[in-house]
Amino acid sequence: IWADRFVPEADAAYVERFLARLAEGEIEYSERRTGLIVTASGETRSITWQNARVGDANGRFVGSLSSGLDVTEQLSASAALRQSQDTMAAILTAMPDLVLHQDADGRYLNCFKAPDVDTLLPEREFLGKLMEDVLPDSLAEEGRKLITAVLATGAVASAAYDMDMPDGARSYDMRMAPVGADEVVSVIRDVTDSRVAASKLG
């Protein structure tokens, strides 16, 4: 009766088999399982269940005890968060920029970039390290000053710098923004070609 009235048709056969196994003693106590139910108003909800077999003094099946927790909103929020994270990751990797996430000490926490965007070192060699372990001393010093200023003021800061890369000297523009009280995100764009072109026009 339960499966016929409150379980979506696609799940009804499974629920009926499960209840039969519970009654026959194949299952004494089930692990948590999330499934769908249909309410009296016709709304579909997600419920996490725990089920236990109830027997008499002789072990004969007399019923089952089920406890259900409505997790519809939690699952919807989790799905929306995953979609938002996937969308943001796709946007960041499609940008012609390097995006670096650092903590207040200048430690590299994460990196987002398109495949054709170069970094000074492979990601596996600089993530988790401090700027001083990766960058030339002068750049690391300026980077630390910028992080301190951004976290102190809460304002976005800009900087321009040159750096020797494996394929030669490159020019970059950077914008850094605070993330909470103790992290920053920097968006770095290679502007070498545009600056060379501008110098030729000048």
Side-chain angles (χ1 to χ4, degrees):
I1 295 176
W2 167 260
D4 292 338
R5 293 187 59 184
F6 299 107
V7 177
E9 185 177 351
D11 296 340
Y14 171 85
V15 172
E16 289 175 352
R17 287 196 302 271
F18 172 81
L19 294 175
R21 293 177 63 201
L22 199 68
E24 292 167 5
E26 293 182 27
I27 302 173
E28 290 290 336
Y29 187 81
S30 71
E31 298 294 331
R32 285 186 177 88
R33 175 187 177 275
T34 301
L36 299 176
I37 67 164
V38 180
T39 67
S41 64
E43 181 185 10
T44 300
R45 307 290 293 179
S46 296
I47 309 294
T48 295
W49 296 100
Q50 280 193 305
N51 304 278
R53 183 180 187 273
V54 179
D56 61 16
N58 298 315
R60 289 188 296 267
F61 176 74
V62 296
S64 62
L65 181 64
S66 300
S67 173
L69 176 66
D70 190 330
V71 295
T72 308
E73 277 71 29
Q74 293 95 313
L75 292 179
S76 296
S78 296
L81 177 60
R82 286 195 300 272
Q83 183 176 12
S84 176
Q85 291 172 334
D86 291 344
T87 300
M88 182 57 66
I91 291 172
L92 291 173
T93 54
M95 293 169 57
D97 302 312
L98 171 63
V99 181
L100 296 175
H101 180 195
Q102 295 169 270
D103 64 16
D105 294 325
R107 190 181 313 277
Y108 295 102
L109 304 176
N110 214 335
C111 170
F112 301 92
K113 68 182 188 68
D116 59 345
V117 174
D118 293 326
T119 51
L120 180 61
L121 297 173
E123 291 178 50
R124 65 179 180 277
E125 295 184 19
F126 71 82
L127 288 180
K129 294 183 177 180
L130 297 172
M131 287 187 297
E132 286 81 359
D133 300 325
V134 177
L135 299 177
D137 292 343
S138 59
L139 284 180
E141 183 179 353
E142 291 303 315
R144 182 169 291 283
K145 290 179 181 177
L146 200 62
I147 290 176
T148 300
V150 166
L151 292 179
T153 64
V156 176
S158 300
Y161 63 93
D162 297 323
M163 187 164 63
D164 291 329
M165 297 291 286
D167 62 345
R170 309 293 296 179
S171 297
Y172 298 92
D173 281 346
M174 179 177 71
R175 288 176 63 82
M176 183 183 290
V179 179
D182 55 6
E183 295 179 2
V184 297
V185 166
S186 300
V187 179
I188 302 166
R189 176 165 296 187
D190 187 330
V191 294
T192 307
D193 294 342
S194 60
R195 287 188 180 169
V196 170
S199 66
K200 288 180 179 180
L201 291 175

